[in-house]
Amino acid sequence: MRFPAACLFDMDGVIVDSAVHHFEAWKRLADALSIPFTEKDNEALKGVSRVDSLEYILGLGHLVLDEATKVKLMDQKNAHYLRLIEGMRAKDILPGAKEFIEECKEAGVAVILGSSSRNAQMVLDNVGLAPLFDAVVDGNHITLSKPDPEVFVKGAQAMNVDPAQCVVFEDAASGVRAGKAGGFAVVGLGDEAVLGEADWVLPTMQGLTLERLCTALGWVD
Ligand code: B16
Ligand code: MG
């Protein structure tokens, strides 16, 4: 069995389900602008940066705004989102995530966060997982949104590990593409129809072990 050198975890949709909170905050903004915005539209925003998410929503309404207005709207959305995630605690960690991360730590597999969110550190602190992470790369450290691999490549660099020896965990199609583009093995968490480009797709991390992971990836030598 060949264990990975590192596991790189996306945050929203992998560690916690904050997509519902992003949706609620974007929905209020879209309603105020009279732009139709549904939960289905929200799927396209998973893993997408704040500014690109706003552009997508404005595009749905064929609305063109100046830069200052866009910054104001993003600040409003983020203030609302921060209020929604303020109360996040350990109970909000997605099934199996903490147990699998703890197994990685015990086995000497580096644990890295690779999130597009600028609020990632706060979420990790709130749910009590921050001490388990060896490196955190988030929206404050990157210039290119997923599907660009920058966030995961920087994560691997932070721990001086080879992407080919690492596994990325993602819930979004853009994130799966980012991991593959960076040369990582990728596990998709969610719907096979959306995440089919991943090397292995699971509904959640519940019951996941390093042994199951390595077997599924064929890392058995
Ligand atoms: P923020 P991830 C992403 O996080 C979310 O999936 C995406 O919906 C959000 O727009 C993006 O973070 C930016 O978040 O506004 O908090 O900076 O999935 O890459 O962990
Ligand atoms: Mg995600």
Side-chain angles (χ1 to χ4, degrees):
M1 195 76 32
R2 179 165 55 89
F3 282 179
C7 286
L8 295 95
F9 300 91
D10 170 54
M11 190 186 69
D12 290 337
V14 170
I15 308 269
V16 291
D17 183 12
S18 43
V20 287
H21 302 313
H22 278 297
F23 175 67
E24 189 178 333
W26 283 128
K27 176 73 179 151
R28 180 194 282 185
L29 185 126
D31 287 351
L33 297 170
S34 302
I35 296 174
F37 178 60
T38 64
E39 276 193 85
K40 194 160 168 276
D41 297 321
N42 196 54
E43 272 298 308
L45 302 186
K46 287 185 178 175
V48 174
S49 71
R50 198 179 305 169
V51 63
D52 289 345
S53 299
L54 176 66
E55 294 292 359
Y56 181 88
I57 291 169
L58 294 178
L60 291 176
H62 309 289
L63 206 58
V64 179
L65 299 175
D66 61 74
E67 285 308 311
T69 307
K70 286 195 257 188
V71 169
K72 200 179 85 192
L73 292 176
M74 283 191 287
D75 287 347
Q76 282 172 1
K77 182 267 174 181
N78 197 50
H80 184 192
Y81 177 71
L82 288 178
R83 284 196 297 279
L84 294 173
I85 62 170
E86 212 171 37
M88 271 192 159
R89 293 293 177 265
K91 63 176 173 35
D92 297 302
I93 299 170
L94 285 168
K98 185 169 186 216
E99 292 75 7
F100 181 68
I101 289 169
E102 283 173 342
E103 194 200 348
C104 287
K105 294 294 289 180
E106 280 159 24
V109 175
V111 172
I112 302 169
L113 191 82
S115 168
S116 304
S117 175
R118 290 172 177 263
N119 301 304
Q121 189 64 56
M122 177 190 289
V123 173
L124 288 186
D125 288 337
N126 285 358
V127 301
L129 288 180
L132 295 179
F133 279 81
D134 298 296
V136 173
V137 181
D138 67 21
N140 299 295
H141 310 116
I142 55 170
T143 52
L144 300 164
S145 237
K146 298 168 187 174
D148 189 280
E150 183 184 14
V151 70
F152 296 127
V153 170
K154 281 199 166 163
Q157 282 168 350
M159 295 307 293
N160 201 20
V161 286
D162 176 2
Q165 310 296 324
C166 300
V167 184
V168 162
F169 292 81
E170 259 293 347
D171 71 312
S174 63
V176 169
R177 278 200 286 280
K180 293 307 292 175
F184 298 84
V186 180
V187 174
L189 296 170
D191 187 351
E192 174 99 49
V194 179
L195 307 171
E197 289 177 37
D199 297 288
W200 188 35
V201 181
L202 290 170
T204 71
M205 275 195 267
Q206 189 145 39
L208 180 63
T209 61
L210 281 168
E211 195 175 331
R212 274 189 72 203
L213 173 70
C214 294
T215 304
L217 294 177
W219 293 8
V220 288
D221 50 288

